Amino acid sequence: MIRWGTLGGAWSQAYAVNNKNQVTGVAYTRNGSAQCLPCYQWRAQRSGTISDPTSTTWGFGLNDAGIVVGQSTFQSTYHAFVYSGGVMKDLNKLTPARSGWVLLTANGINNAGQIVGEGLA
């Protein structure tokens, strides 16, 4: 067992581990905000397409390439995201324009890059 730590808050929780022993999940900050690990690096840099000082992120899935998927609250709504190469992208912006889907949560990603999650049509 390995102690994971927090981002200064009271607790953290791991949701996924890959074959390279990389982990993703959530950790709380001192001010009570929930941040995806390792996505907290994105949060500090404010890069990517989801950027709101009040957003929270949870990493739910992780493949062997270190690509993380999860859920972010942004402007009081849920958004499924993918985090790769230091950039977080809203999966809703990557779906076909008239698909009718609103992607809420990405729960897992395999090594082929296929993502499973929840959405509304």
Side-chain angles (χ1 to χ4, degrees):
M1 188 176 300
I2 297 171
R3 174 169 273 207
W4 196 17
T6 71
L7 295 174
W11 62 277
S12 63
Q13 185 169 350
Y15 288 104
V17 62
N18 66 15
N19 290 318
K20 295 182 178 180
N21 292 321
Q22 297 169 315
V23 178
T24 191
V26 64
Y28 279 78
T29 63
R30 281 190 184 97
N31 68 3
S33 154
Q35 300 303 316
C36 163
L37 292 176
C39 308
Y40 69 91
Q41 295 165 344
W42 158 83
R43 185 91 163 95
Q45 296 171 1
R46 300 263 195 271
S47 62
T49 59
I50 305 173
S51 60
D52 180 273
T54 62
S55 68
T56 57
T57 55
W58 296 266
F60 292 134
L62 168 76
N63 68 12
D64 288 342
I67 299 171
V68 175
V69 295
Q71 179 185 73
S72 177
T73 59
F74 175 65
Q75 297 177 346
S76 301
T77 60
Y78 293 110
H79 294 256
F81 74 81
V82 60
Y83 172 84
S84 178
V87 176
M88 182 178 282
K89 294 181 182 175
D90 185 337
L91 288 173
N92 288 288
K93 294 186 177 185
L94 301 176
T95 59
R98 296 181 187 110
S99 72
W101 281 97
V102 176
L103 305 178
L104 305 173
T105 303
N107 294 316
I109 182 169
N110 67 15
N111 288 333
Q114 297 167 315
I115 299 170
V116 63
E118 300 172 40
L120 302 171

